[in-house]
Amino acid sequence: MEAVKKYLKKYFVTAMGAMAQGLFATLLIGTIIKTLGQYTGLDFLVELATFASAATGMAIGVAIALSLKADILVVLCSSVVGSIAYTLNGAGPAGAFFVVIIACEIARFVSKKTKVDI
């Protein structure tokens, strides 16, 4: 039972909290910047917000991988996985969350296990 609590805390408290931070750092901040741009008439802020929102999946992937204490190559790969999962078929944050955890754990399992590993 103690092991179950450990994994529940790891994935649904720590990793989900990290996902929320990645989401906040891109999508919500992007929305705030976009709103400021629309109200002030500064079009570059609206364009900047588009880039921030597009990076949401990547930020989620990086945040989750860092919260799971993954190696740097796994973190960078998680950004790609997060980006793909976030946009693929409209999976959004929940889809990115589960796919990044699975990919991160698989990558952590094989990372730095061979002599030719980067």
Side-chain angles (χ1 to χ4, degrees):
M1 187 63 171
E2 199 63 35
V4 172
K5 286 183 182 179
K6 176 184 163 188
Y7 286 111
L8 287 175
K9 182 177 185 235
K10 179 179 180 180
Y11 296 122
F12 290 103
V13 176
T14 306
M16 197 171 280
M19 180 197 70
Q21 289 176 343
L23 192 65
F24 178 76
T26 53
L27 188 63
L28 298 177
I29 296 296
T31 302
I32 292 168
I33 292 171
K34 180 179 178 181
T35 303
L36 286 172
Q38 289 172 337
Y39 282 120
T40 60
L42 300 172
D43 292 333
F44 76 93
L45 288 178
V46 176
E47 188 174 348
L48 182 67
T50 304
F51 291 117
S53 296
T56 302
M58 289 181 268
I60 289 172
V62 168
I64 290 172
L66 287 174
S67 75
L68 296 176
K69 297 176 178 54
D71 294 323
I72 188 67
L73 190 59
V74 175
V75 171
L76 296 174
C77 291
S78 294
S79 73
V80 175
V81 171
S83 178
I84 293 168
Y86 185 80
T87 58
L88 192 64
N89 293 327
F97 174 74
F98 289 110
V99 172
V100 167
I101 286 178
I102 292 166
C104 188
E105 289 300 333
I106 291 170
R108 283 171 33 120
F109 182 71
V110 298
S111 178
K112 300 206 178 187
K113 300 291 193 269
T114 65
K115 292 179 182 181
V116 294
D117 200 358
I118 299 174

